[in-house]
Each structure stands twice: as structure tokens, then as C-alpha cells.
Amino acid sequence: NAGVMQNPRHLVRRRGQEARLRCSPMKGHSHVYWYRQLPEEGLKFMVYLQKENIIDESGMPKERFSAEFPKEGPSILRIQQVVRGDSAAYFCASSPQTHYGYTFGSGTRLTVV
Amino acid sequence: KNQVEQSPQSLIILEGKNCTLQCNYTVSPFSNLRWYKQDTGRGPVSLTIMTFSENTKSNGRYTATLDADTKQSSLHITASQLSDSASYICVVSPFGDTGRRALTFGSGTRLQVQP
């Protein structure tokens, strides 16, 4: 039973490019959460999704960031026109029920050059 | 002001020694409190989870305590090992887990165990 799979592990983008981060939840988990962690800081909530629905996006920046969790396939966190300040580790977690039994992925480290 | 405050920010101890990490929270009402271990470059891994009615939970050499009256929790690590070097994160879940409120994370305590 594979854990939460995130890819890529490392992503380098030039300023102005788009970044796509993927998260495949654990088998049987229909709840997905995205968090951002800046260097030397704690995890910050971004968005909570269930299949085909955004439940809570209160932590998402209003511009350039979007997330989806389609009926088939992984959840995608998309960052358009990246800037240096977007450089961070992005973690995905999944759970079988709301906020219960969280399991985190190993994260995607985005570097904007 | 963060609703979950952890102390100390960082801690260095010698291998074999015990240590205690603190977590104070203001999230109210809350459903459960969790401690996670995050190794450098990895995702957080759950150590313990306690509901408001529990006051202690153990996982091997890790023991978490909870005082819901004073809104304090601690994580005690016994006989530390080099592999305990990591960040330890306190996370509080709001009451009801309605799905519209996210978990509140502390900023973590960075523990370094030296030989």
C-alpha cells in the first residue's frame, strides 16, 4: 500500500514559468490537503479538496495559484508565472475522512531561478 | 499571533539524554492534538494523536501529555538517539472536524542529538 506520492521531488523553474505539482493520495483516501513550507518556517495550509470539489481554499494566494482534484488522476497544484518568493517545499497530505488520519507525502521542492 | 506556540525553537542534547518539548495552544474548542516528526527533506510523520479527553499517549520512546484546562501539551523523548534529530511539530485540530477548518500547525522545535 503505497503512501502519498508526490512528484516531482524537485522542480526548478525560471521566473514567469508555470509549475505543476502532483499528488496521488493513499488508496482509499478521498481528501487531499496542500501545505507550503518556507525555509526555516512551519507548514502553512493552502487548500483542502475532495474529489472534484474545493472545500477550503482560505490559504491559497488569490492570484496565480490554483488546485484541482479530478475524479480520475492525481491532485494538481498549479502555480502560474512563478516568482522567487514561490520557492518552497510543497507538501500534500491525504486522509480517508475529514482531517482524520493524515498521511503526508515527501513533498516537492520548488526552486525559482 | 499563532494559535499554536512551541518552545524551545531549537534544542541540542547529547545522545542518551531525555528531553521535553512544549506546545501551548489557543485553538478552542479543539478536537485533537497531534505531534509530528519531520526529518530534514521529508514530510511529517505522525507520532501521537490525543483527543481532548486524553491526557497521555505513548509511542515507543515518545510520550505526549495534554492538559486541556491549561491548553498545554508536551512531548517527552526518552533515551534520545541520533535518529531523533528532526523537527517536532504540534498540530491542533478544531472541534468537530467539519472540514471547513484546517489544522493549525506550530512552527516546530528543531532537535539535534549529538553523539
Side-chain angles (χ1 to χ4, degrees):
Chain A
N1 184 17
V4 177
M5 304 300 294
Q6 288 188 251
N7 65 80
R9 286 297 307 276
H10 301 274
L11 181 61
V12 180
R13 284 288 177 265
R14 294 187 185 278
R15 279 179 295 171
Q17 290 185 319
E18 178 180 287
R20 278 180 176 249
L21 288 62
R22 295 175 199 80
C23 170
S24 296
M26 284 185 69
K27 189 175 180 180
H29 287 194
S30 59
H31 301 249
V32 166
Y33 316 82
W34 285 94
Y35 288 82
R36 176 163 63 176
Q37 187 172 35
L38 295 171
E40 308 300 320
E41 293 189 14
L43 287 140
K44 302 294 183 191
F45 169 76
M46 298 182 75
V47 62
Y48 161 36
L49 310 102
Q50 293 180 25
K51 283 286 186 182
E52 300 184 278
N53 286 304
I54 296 175
I55 306 301
D56 183 351
E57 56 181 348
S58 57
M60 286 276 272
K62 293 286 185 264
E63 297 176 350
R64 303 189 297 108
F65 285 72
S66 62
E68 62 176 8
F69 189 16
K71 188 176 180 181
E72 301 291 338
S75 175
I76 305 287
L77 179 67
R78 182 181 176 206
I79 310 172
Q80 295 178 291
Q81 299 174 328
V82 296
V83 300
R84 288 224 171 102
D86 297 333
S87 295
Y90 292 83
F91 290 96
C92 167
S94 72
S95 68
Q97 304 171 30
T98 302
H99 292 311
Y100 177 84
Y102 256 51
T103 300
F104 280 89
S106 293
T108 292
R109 272 140 200 86
L110 172 65
T111 302
V112 180
V113 297
Chain B
K1 188 179 187 307
N2 195 358
Q3 293 183 298
V4 179
E5 297 283 349
Q6 291 188 243
S7 62
Q9 273 193 319
S10 60
L11 181 62
I12 300 174
I13 61 173
L14 293 177
E15 187 178 11
K17 297 296 185 184
N18 304 337
C19 66
T20 300
L21 314 180
Q22 300 291 341
C23 173
N24 295 341
Y25 62 92
T26 58
V27 176
S28 182
F30 88 100
S31 172
N32 58 73
L33 184 147
R34 318 168 190 205
W35 283 92
Y36 283 86
K37 177 186 179 188
Q38 185 177 20
D39 292 306
T40 300
R42 308 292 296 177
V45 174
S46 179
L47 294 175
T48 63
I49 178 169
M50 291 182 291
T51 65
F52 65 90
S53 61
E54 297 176 291
N55 48 32
T56 188
K57 184 73 70 80
S58 290
N59 178 1
R61 294 180 297 103
Y62 301 103
T63 299
T65 64
L66 174 64
D67 185 334
D69 291 330
T70 61
K71 295 185 171 57
Q72 294 180 326
S73 177
S74 65
L75 180 69
H76 186 72
I77 305 174
T78 305
S80 61
Q81 300 176 358
L82 297 178
S83 59
D84 292 333
S85 296
S87 286
Y88 291 84
I89 306 169
C90 175
V91 183
V92 180
S93 176
F95 179 75
D97 273 349
T98 61
R100 293 213 157 262
R101 287 285 310 281
L103 304 183
T104 303
F105 285 70
S107 295
T109 292
R110 292 180 179 274
L111 174 66
Q112 185 179 348
V113 180
Q114 293 183 342

